[in-house]
Amino acid sequence: MASPLLKEKANNIQTERQESLEKERLTENKEIARQAGETTKMSWTLNDFAIGRPLGKGRFGHVYLGKENASGYVVALKVLFKKELVRLNVPHQLRREVEIQYHLRHPNILRLYGYFHDAERVYIVLEYCQRGELYRILKERGRLNQEDTAKYIYQLSSALDFCHERNVIHRDIKPENVLIDKNGDLKLSDFGWAVQHDGSVKRATICGTLDYLPPEMLAQMPHTHKVDNWSVGILMFECLVGKAPFEVPTQSETIDRIKRCHFKLPDSMEAGAKELINKIIRIEPEERLSLKEVMAHPWLIQHYPKAASHHAIETVTK
Ligand code: AMP
């Protein structure tokens, strides 16, 4: 049992943390408003936005196209009902998700500009991605060409490397959580299963989607950031082939195949792509290529030449 003094200290820390978060939120809202050409607004209410067409429905609510009235700045507004959040016992998870995503600023991570709430709802203001989910694009096209795949794998690896350097593990990489903006660039979203660890603790929570789950998570063993690397390999396979490597009719067989790392690469796949996938999808987490190695892989550079120049710049500035 914690002593009353300790409890009070913990409460004070909690309050300070909330106050600092609120202060940052207001500053951020102001920054966005300024970027969007508006200088005085400190915090938003629903009246500040014109709500447009629905963009989709997620686990906890709907997402709408929105335009900030003062600036004409177009965003995606995620609307969540407080009652529903409480019923599903997720306010804590949502707070963590918002807090993590809010602080990650990277060209391939979906920006979370801010949030506000009224009596019934919480509104999350997000960067708008015109081309929607990679999931939908894959459904429409069946599979992707090597150029698009290489670009997405590069951009996803870059986003995840940035997360890992900040001790954030995403833990739910899949085509539904990858959005594409109007320029065709990838934006990693949905940090609902993400965790920020202190650098040494290995977490054992089971989360994510079956087809993308690595063996150590299935076995409920402790896991590290290498779970995300595994999912990068699965996504690369799915983009090129049109289905995930362990996707079979029954869940039990999928689980069995993941545990044995049993998958087959089509003969038609280019040798370089095969090599890259084989070096990422490994049972042993430490054997999986690092994300920097993925980004510098010859197959990736061949099909996404910008990777070479990005890589060179990163190496020089380090
Ligand atoms: P979510 O609640 O994040 O799963 O989002 C539900 C749906 O809304 C997704 O399937 C997307 O189609 C759409 N969506 C979510 N966020 C955005 C965004 N930032 N830009 C465009 N569409 C989005």
Side-chain angles (χ1 to χ4, degrees):
M1 281 285 275
S3 75
L5 206 66
L6 272 180
K7 265 191 186 163
E8 197 189 319
K9 206 170 168 191
N11 283 342
N12 285 345
I13 290 170
Q14 176 92 345
T15 313
E16 273 170 26
R17 203 169 149 75
Q18 274 168 3
E19 279 171 2
S20 112
L21 203 72
E22 181 70 6
K23 213 165 136 191
E24 265 195 62
R25 178 176 78 84
L26 292 178
T27 315
E28 172 71 3
N29 284 1
K30 196 177 170 190
E31 185 205 311
I32 297 304
R34 197 179 54 241
Q35 275 179 16
E38 206 252 308
T39 48
T40 51
K41 185 152 280 302
M42 291 286 284
S43 70
W44 286 310
T45 72
L46 193 54
N47 291 333
D48 293 313
F49 293 90
I51 306 297
R53 69 180 172 88
L55 294 173
K57 187 179 165 349
R59 262 176 308 155
F60 307 131
H62 289 81
V63 182
Y64 298 90
L65 195 63
K67 186 148 92 171
E68 201 206 12
N69 293 326
S71 61
Y73 205 85
V74 175
V75 294
L77 261 188
K78 194 178 266 199
V79 183
L80 310 158
F81 282 90
K82 287 181 176 176
K83 259 194 188 155
E84 197 58 8
L85 296 173
V86 171
R87 189 181 70 80
L88 297 167
N89 197 22
V90 290
H92 174 73
Q93 186 187 338
L94 179 71
R95 180 174 283 274
R96 190 178 60 178
E97 174 178 353
V98 167
E99 213 173 313
I100 290 177
Q101 196 174 345
Y102 179 79
H103 286 100
L104 293 168
R105 309 275 161 87
H106 181 280
N108 301 113
I109 296 179
L110 190 79
R111 274 297 303 276
L112 191 155
Y113 294 126
Y115 63 92
F116 56 94
H117 58 100
D118 58 24
E120 288 173 3
R121 288 162 287 224
V122 178
Y123 305 86
I124 302 178
V125 187
L126 297 162
E127 179 178 2
Y128 170 51
C129 282
Q130 206 175 45
R131 299 195 196 171
E133 289 178 358
L134 178 60
Y135 178 82
R136 189 183 54 80
I137 296 173
L138 266 169
K139 274 264 159 329
E140 274 169 18
R141 296 199 217 158
R143 68 184 76 166
L144 304 185
N145 61 31
Q146 301 199 81
E147 285 64 38
D148 286 343
T149 304
K151 174 179 171 177
Y152 293 156
I153 293 304
Y154 178 86
Q155 294 187 336
L156 178 62
S157 301
S158 175
L160 285 170
D161 194 42
F162 182 86
C163 293
H164 294 173
E165 280 174 355
R166 284 149 189 82
N167 293 330
V168 172
I169 314 176
H170 185 283
R171 307 199 297 183
D172 197 16
I173 302 300
K174 55 180 176 176
E176 291 89 328
N177 291 339
V178 167
L179 296 170
I180 309 297
D181 75 2
K182 66 176 189 306
N183 302 317
D185 287 319
L186 176 147
K187 305 279 170 169
L188 176 59
S189 80
D190 203 334
F191 284 74
W193 282 118
V195 68
Q196 186 149 31
H197 60 97
D198 64 12
S200 61
V201 181
K202 292 184 172 190
R203 306 275 171 158
T205 325
I206 273 229
C207 45
T209 307
L210 189 58
D211 284 324
Y212 278 73
L213 272 188
E216 66 270 30
M217 267 187 162
L218 274 179
Q220 302 203 34
M221 279 156 61
H223 59 262
T224 67
H225 63 280
K226 289 280 188 174
V227 294
D228 288 340
N229 300 34
W230 168 279
S231 311
V232 169
I234 306 294
L235 190 79
M236 178 173 162
F237 184 111
E238 179 157 6
C239 286
L240 289 174
V241 177
K243 68 181 196 63
F246 304 106
E247 203 182 311
V248 279
T250 65
Q251 280 205 353
S252 59
E253 202 182 333
T254 297
I255 291 173
D256 180 58
R257 287 185 182 213
I258 293 173
K259 284 185 177 163
R260 290 186 294 119
C261 200
H262 176 71
F263 66 99
K264 187 171 167 2
L265 293 160
D267 294 339
S268 57
M269 189 182 280
E270 226 177 59
K274 282 183 182 164
E275 192 210 50
L276 180 50
I277 290 176
N278 277 328
K279 285 184 168 172
I280 307 176
I281 308 182
R282 313 282 290 213
I283 293 188
E284 202 47 61
E286 291 316 310
E287 286 179 11
R288 294 171 201 156
L289 282 192
S290 73
L291 294 167
K292 286 193 173 51
E293 287 169 327
V294 172
M295 287 188 272
H297 190 274
W299 175 84
L300 205 138
I301 291 175
Q302 182 192 344
H303 294 287
Y304 183 56
K306 270 192 190 167
S309 47
H310 288 185
H311 183 66
I313 292 167
E314 276 171 18
T315 314
V316 168
T317 52
K318 282 245 153 84

